[in-house]
Amino acid sequence: MKYDNIEYQSYLLKHARKQNKGASGQDSERQKTYRAEWAFQARVPNPTFKSIEDAQKYAKKIYKSKTWQKLWSENVQKDVMTILRSTPKIVAKQRNSGRGTSGWTNGYSVTLDTMCGLNVYTLLHELAHCLGNMHHGRSFRKTVLSLVSRFMGRDAAKVLKEEFKKQKLACGEERKPMTFEQWKASRDRMAKIREKLNNG
């Protein structure tokens, strides 16, 4: 029974990792997420900012919204450090070349390349990271879809979701793990099948 409990705990850990890849360990869905986002940006209008100051003003508008407040409070319950990330500062990349990343964040501030990152979607992408998603897994995609729906429109969010699905990236609710009894019954059933195959 003790061994069964240890094995079940191992199953729960593996299940959690599968539901939100990147939250722990390698950010394995990053490239697929980028591909979906590039396709999305080619299909919808993506308003630009005239300056980093304009991007900061827009960010302040986001922080005052009910959508941001809801997402922020939900993440505070999961990660208390989110309290320090309620209003990330928007800053300009020191060397703007238009090459490499158009933006990045450490969770507390957002850095934008003024050559290619001064647009609404890049800002929303980085702010989704600041809400407790320092990866590109399921919870990141759910968060960025909520932000896009509010600040770029529902039609834009629908297009982004379509592109995520084309890359086989989940963005809905996480699947619940099996109960101990369900897991044990499934394991025992598979053991019987393997035994039958070996003896067959």
Side-chain angles (χ1 to χ4, degrees), residues 22-100:
S24 60
Q26 186 179 0
D27 193 5
S28 60
E29 294 179 330
R30 179 176 57 183
Q31 203 57 42
K32 283 187 176 182
T33 298
Y34 286 164
R35 287 194 205 105
E37 290 176 321
W38 295 332
F40 159 74
Q41 290 178 82
R43 292 178 60 188
V44 302
N46 187 11
T48 57
F49 304 116
K50 292 181 180 179
S51 64
I52 202 71
E53 290 76 20
D54 282 347
Q56 179 66 69
K57 287 178 184 177
Y58 195 82
K60 287 181 179 179
K61 173 186 172 184
I62 293 171
Y63 304 150
K64 290 178 182 177
S65 71
K66 289 181 180 179
T67 298
W68 177 268
Q69 293 296 326
K70 179 176 181 290
L71 292 169
W72 177 76
S73 61
E74 286 173 354
N75 278 282
V76 167
Q77 294 174 22
K78 299 174 187 175
D79 178 9
V80 71
M81 292 303 290
T82 306
I83 290 174
L84 304 175
R85 300 193 286 266
S86 61
T87 56
K89 185 177 180 182
I90 314 303
V91 299
K93 185 179 177 181
Q94 290 186 348
R95 293 184 179 181
N96 297 287
S97 63
R99 296 180 179 180

Side-chain angles (χ1 to χ4, degrees), residues 166-180:
K166 286 179 185 177
Q167 296 294 328
K168 294 180 171 51
L169 293 168
C171 46
E173 294 299 322
E174 296 182 10
R175 292 182 180 178
K176 292 182 179 180
M178 291 185 283
T179 63
F180 177 79

Side-chain angles (χ1 to χ4, degrees), residues 177-193:
M178 291 185 283
T179 63
F180 177 79
E181 289 74 18
Q182 290 170 332
W183 167 82
K184 191 172 185 302
S186 175
R187 187 198 61 175
D188 293 346
R189 188 165 57 250
M190 291 305 295
K192 287 180 180 178
I193 291 172

